[in-house]
Amino acid sequence: MLRLSKLTDYAVVVMARLALDGAGPAGHVQTAPGLASATGIAEPTVAKVLKMLGSAGLVEGVRGARGGYRLTRPLPSVPLSQVIVAVDGPIALTACVDGGVGSCEAEGICAVRGRWDPVNDAIRKALSGITVADLAGPAHCPAVRATASLAPMLAE
Amino acid sequence: MLRLSKLTDYAVVVMARLALDGAGPAGHVQTAPGLASATGIAEPTVAKVLKMLGSAGLVEGVRGARGGYRLTRPLPSVPLSQVIVAVDGPIALTACVDGGVGSCEAEGICAVRGRWDPVNDAIRKALSGITVADLAGPAHCPAVRATASLAPMLAE
DNA sequence: TTCAAAGGGGACTTGATTGGTCCTATTTGG
DNA sequence: CCAAATAGGACCAATCAAGTCCCCTTTGAA
């Protein structure tokens, strides 16, 4: 199966929750513990995801007491591919990341490989066309649906 | 990183090698040990891949002495998605395969998830548009390039 | 000025997944 | 009747990721 890390899933959920308080300097910050209890994800895990999203510039962390996180951009303008790259690293199906022609140390083994570049490109393209808002819409699972007024906000 | 199993990679290489002897009832069969030495992949692994491809109907096995494998269809008519499904199972990014609304046993945990269906669809679509022939073209790695007259055949 | 709350950045452990091998039928040509 | 080859699992080991925990820095408030 084509696998995507769970952390990416968490990232989308956390970002959806962050969207409730707006994006940019005007938005209110939410703490990691607060997001954890709101989403049901364990607190250390939420913190980890937020750090990764912060490094990628998708969320902004405010340090110190009364600190927290907020989105830097509204969800509809965040392509899913950026979240995946932030959490999972470069989007590529094989270890041989495309472009690195001389990067095959063990050439005898590398001899085996096909050329996956067109596939990587196709997938990247597909993921760029989807925004986080597309995923964060009204969920079919009970508890997320219970977080209520999420959908209208994401429609923005 | 978005990961695809190595076996899928092997499958593409093996199918490319099989294409040298044609497809369908008219094609000559190649043995698993022969394919192994031709591709540089370990023999048991080649056998495993061929079994999987056989179950999926992508290759055809001929049993008994003088047996072997051959393609059932020419590579340009085999979408990559079929190979991935054959080797890796259903294409879905998360454990919650789409469609199964009631399949979330642990609802408290499932509450966490977003809706990945649009993503799965997009990826499936992207992979369906690429054929195995697109991947099996002239490789940039030495040993594969050494397998010579592969490219013209795949251009068919 | 001191304390507590919160983010920042890793390091580490455990568990699941996968890659790879092997063993045993079954088939079939010589 | 034997040898060669596929068919189909069962099994072991190594890799990778999820999750947790640690210590440090920052900063508002008492």
Side-chain angles (χ1 to χ4, degrees):
Chain A
M1 185 197 325
L2 209 61
R3 260 188 26 192
L4 195 61
S5 87
K6 272 189 190 175
L7 291 218
T8 306
D9 188 16
Y10 297 157
V12 169
V13 175
V14 167
M15 289 180 78
R17 190 62 178 73
L18 277 175
L20 290 177
D21 278 350
H28 295 155
V29 298
Q30 299 182 51
T31 69
L35 288 165
S37 64
T39 59
I41 309 173
E43 196 256 316
T45 303
V46 171
K48 184 179 196 175
V49 168
L50 286 168
K51 286 173 204 168
M52 294 195 242
L53 293 177
S55 305
L58 294 176
V59 304
E60 183 182 15
V62 177
R63 302 182 69 157
R66 292 301 186 109
Y69 292 91
R70 72 181 148 226
L71 294 175
T72 55
R73 285 179 287 157
L75 293 195
S77 66
V78 180
L80 179 61
S81 56
Q82 293 191 3
V83 178
I84 295 177
V85 168
V87 175
D88 273 357
I91 297 176
L93 288 178
T94 57
C96 286
V97 182
D98 54 348
V101 176
S103 63
C104 311
E105 302 87 357
E107 303 209 342
I109 296 177
C110 182
V112 144
R113 308 198 170 278
R115 302 179 321 158
W116 289 93
D117 296 17
V119 184
N120 290 332
D121 290 342
I123 293 205
R124 244 170 256 151
K125 201 170 173 184
L127 291 179
S128 299
I130 300 180
T131 74
V132 180
D134 294 330
L135 290 183
H140 61 271
C141 289
V144 170
R145 190 185 294 134
T147 55
S149 51
L150 181 62
M153 174 132 229
L154 294 170
E156 165 206 348
Chain B
M1 187 197 325
L2 208 60
R3 261 189 25 192
L4 195 60
S5 87
K6 272 188 188 174
L7 289 234
T8 305
D9 188 16
Y10 296 157
V12 169
V13 174
V14 168
M15 288 180 79
R17 190 63 179 69
L18 276 175
L20 290 178
D21 278 350
H28 295 156
V29 298
Q30 298 181 51
T31 69
L35 288 165
S37 65
T39 59
I41 309 174
E43 195 257 316
T45 303
V46 170
K48 184 179 195 175
V49 168
L50 285 168
K51 286 172 203 167
M52 295 196 243
L53 294 176
S55 305
L58 295 176
V59 304
E60 183 182 15
V62 177
R63 301 183 68 157
R66 292 302 186 107
Y69 292 93
R70 72 181 149 227
L71 294 175
T72 55
R73 284 178 287 159
L75 293 195
S77 66
V78 179
L80 179 61
S81 55
Q82 292 191 5
V83 178
I84 295 177
V85 168
V87 175
D88 273 358
I91 296 176
L93 289 177
T94 57
C96 286
V97 183
D98 54 349
V101 176
S103 63
C104 311
E105 303 87 358
E107 304 208 342
I109 296 177
C110 183
V112 144
R113 308 198 170 278
R115 302 179 320 159
W116 290 93
D117 296 16
V119 184
N120 290 332
D121 290 342
I123 293 204
R124 243 170 255 152
K125 201 169 173 182
L127 292 179
S128 298
I130 300 180
T131 74
V132 180
D134 294 331
L135 290 184
H140 61 272
C141 290
V144 171
R145 192 185 293 133
T147 56
S149 52
L150 181 63
M153 173 131 228
L154 293 169
E156 164 208 351

